[in-house]
Amino acid sequence: MATQLKSVHPTPDPLDGMSLPGWLYFDPEFFEAEKKAFLRAAPQVVCHEHEIAEPGAWRTLDYLGESVIVIRGDDGEPRAFSNVCRHRGSRLVDGNGGCTKLLTCPYHAWSYARDGRLVGVPHRGEYPDLRTDELGLVPVELENWLGFLFVRLEPGGPSVAEMMAPYEDEVAPYRFADLRPIGRVTLRERKLNWKTIADNYSDGLHIPIGHPGLTRLFGRNYRIEARSYVDRMEGDLAEKESTNPSERSYQRLLPRVDHLPESHQRKWLYYKLFPNVAFDIYPDQVDFMQFLPVSATETVIREISYAVPDERREMQVARHLNWRINRRVNAEDTELIARVQLGMQSPTYRPGPLGTSEVCLRSFAQKLRKLIPEARLEAPPAAGWSRIASAR
């Protein structure tokens, strides 16, 4: 007798259509669980390799209480290290630097070569058993993705290249490897949980309500989609001219970019890599930003703009107008998400329903519930639960 196979369908998760509970957006223990579950293993952009073009040039990134330095070696290779002296733990350097020959600790002057080797120890005779070959700077995982240098504090999870693989062909014409900074890194402190900012970045429904400028620029053609590790958003500039002077001038003056396909000449494109890195791709420039968690209710937004060199006057004006338009968008978002953060902290809030078009928020919530099962609970567990969870 032939065996009849039954079709097996996974049981739908009853929470798939619901947003995350409010306590996840302010609870210190949940923040600790996030750090252990995925935040420390998440790739973070430090800089573009053109910013450290010469041996000895370096940049730093502060993330989750750690500081990382990325420096160009004498052999031309960029390397990442923990920005911590191996003697007494002092931070070695701050901010950005030029072509330094040695990294010298400001506390006791221990010195490290550009490849991280310990090469200078004052009062060397006081350490008779010192093995300098074992006391180099601690390396940090580094990935060069299309010229951008990413680090992660712990291994685990996909690389940036793997995350962005579905969009490799779309990104290629933008010539990321040729980008140069057109501004400086800015840091904006916010009294917000990092997820409040990340959610808003991928939220398409608030655009026509909270961003009248973007609505004038895009009309109703703003679109979103969610992949395993990347949210993608896009909008094409409308033919109808905006009533706003800056927006109208941008529409008129944005010049043709020969290395872009016709479909992307007037497209604004956004990607958010799980969990907290995003980049905005315009025909005129590329903006990177990170939502760097500081605590359960504090985040630093770190951002910088890049562009392929183009000295045309209309391109220079378009970039300035882009900046003016998006400063307004950022101000609008700042007000909106501050209101959300306050609501999340109210004991009256319960998870709300997600519409069928809210695919990015659904995807994000599913990831959180999978990575930290306690995210399924409407209220936090008893104190100390995060220590038990980390031992699983």
Side-chain angles (χ1 to χ4, degrees):
M1 180 183 295
T3 302
Q4 187 174 14
L5 298 178
K6 293 184 177 180
S7 175
V8 178
H9 297 282
T11 303
D13 187 337
L15 295 181
D16 274 352
M18 301 298 292
S19 60
L20 294 168
W23 69 274
L24 274 58
Y25 291 78
F26 63 89
D27 183 78
E29 283 208 63
F30 193 82
F31 179 57
E32 291 302 315
E34 289 175 324
K35 288 194 287 186
K36 295 170 186 174
F38 59 88
L39 285 177
R40 287 182 59 84
Q44 303 299 317
V45 65
V46 177
C47 64
H48 193 281
E49 61 179 347
H50 282 303
E51 295 173 79
I52 55 167
E54 301 299 325
W58 50 268
R59 295 290 185 270
T60 59
L61 173 71
D62 294 339
Y63 180 58
L64 296 178
E66 302 276 4
S67 181
V68 176
I69 179 170
V70 175
I71 184 169
R72 180 80 65 175
D74 293 323
D75 57 359
E77 289 297 315
R79 295 177 177 84
F81 302 101
S82 178
N83 186 18
V84 176
C85 180
R86 297 297 303 277
H87 178 215
R88 295 288 303 282
S90 172
R91 178 170 292 190
L92 289 172
V93 296
D94 298 297
N96 303 327
C99 300
T100 183
K101 292 183 178 179
L102 295 173
L103 297 172
T104 300
C105 178
Y107 197 18
H108 300 100
W110 281 36
S111 298
Y112 302 86
R114 293 166 172 172
D115 61 1
R117 290 177 297 117
L118 176 62
V119 294
V121 179
H123 312 292
R124 179 68 176 79
E126 296 187 17
Y127 308 93
D129 299 322
L130 188 71
R131 295 181 61 89
T132 57
D133 59 325
E134 296 178 355
L135 290 173
L137 297 178
V138 176
V140 174
E141 184 179 331
L142 177 70
E143 178 185 0
N144 186 332
W145 178 73
L146 302 182
F148 285 98
L149 302 177
F150 286 78
V151 297
R152 65 174 88 223
L153 301 180
E154 294 178 358
S159 66
V160 177
E162 291 170 328
M163 295 168 78
M164 285 298 297
Y167 303 109
E168 182 178 336
D169 291 341
E170 181 172 49
V171 170
Y174 286 92
R175 295 170 49 186
F176 273 25
D178 297 328
L179 293 172
R180 302 292 193 277
I182 59 172
R184 58 182 177 81
V185 171
T186 60
L187 303 174
R188 294 185 285 136
E189 298 178 357
R190 294 289 182 264
K191 297 293 186 182
L192 302 165
N193 183 273
W194 70 272
K195 295 187 295 300
T196 307
I197 306 171
D199 285 348
N200 181 75
Y201 187 89
S202 299
D203 184 325
L205 291 183
H206 84 284
I207 301 295
I209 302 167
H211 297 306
L214 293 183
T215 302
R216 288 190 293 266
L217 284 174
F218 299 147
R220 296 184 177 275
N221 66 24
Y222 192 80
R223 301 172 294 279
I224 69 173
E225 67 179 48
R227 297 282 185 125
S228 297
Y229 292 96
V230 178
D231 294 343
R232 178 187 181 278
M233 289 66 66
E234 68 170 353
D236 296 306
L237 296 180
E239 291 297 325
K240 181 181 178 181
E241 289 192 342
S242 171
T243 55
N244 176 277
S246 294
E247 297 158 9
R248 183 170 63 251
S249 296
Y250 181 84
Q251 290 172 302
R252 289 177 177 177
L253 294 174
L254 179 65
R256 180 177 180 80
V257 181
D258 290 339
H259 57 264
L260 294 181
E262 202 62 41
S263 60
H264 286 55
Q265 288 291 331
R266 300 178 70 79
K267 185 184 295 295
W268 282 21
L269 186 60
Y270 307 86
Y271 293 105
K272 187 184 77 180
L273 282 64
F274 181 83
N276 66 321
V277 174
F279 49 105
D280 309 344
I281 305 179
Y282 311 101
D284 46 297
Q285 66 189 59
V286 176
D287 298 346
F288 261 81
M289 67 179 67
Q290 293 146 287
F291 322 124
L292 301 175
V294 177
S295 72
T297 54
E298 298 171 286
T299 303
V300 171
I301 301 176
R302 179 180 185 265
E303 56 188 348
I304 183 173
S305 298
Y306 299 89
V308 174
D310 187 333
E311 298 305 319
R312 290 178 292 173
R313 182 179 180 277
E314 59 266 41
M315 181 60 82
Q316 301 300 315
V317 174
R319 289 171 180 166
H320 176 71
L321 292 168
N322 181 313
W323 177 84
R324 290 180 64 178
I325 294 167
N326 278 299
R327 289 310 92 186
R328 179 69 252 164
V329 173
N330 287 341
E332 291 162 352
D333 276 331
T334 297
E335 181 178 349
L336 290 170
I337 58 182
R339 300 169 73 91
V340 173
Q341 183 69 41
L342 290 172
M344 289 293 182
Q345 294 174 203
S346 169
T348 66
Y349 178 73
R350 295 292 183 271
L354 292 174
T356 55
S357 68
E358 297 180 273
V359 293
C360 295
L361 296 183
R362 284 172 175 261
S363 175
F364 186 81
Q366 289 167 358
K367 290 185 185 72
L368 262 290
R369 292 177 186 123
K370 181 178 180 180
L371 290 164
I372 307 175
E374 287 78 7
R376 303 178 64 84
L377 304 176
E378 284 199 9
W385 69 267
S386 62
R387 292 191 296 274
I388 298 173
S390 65
R392 286 197 292 249

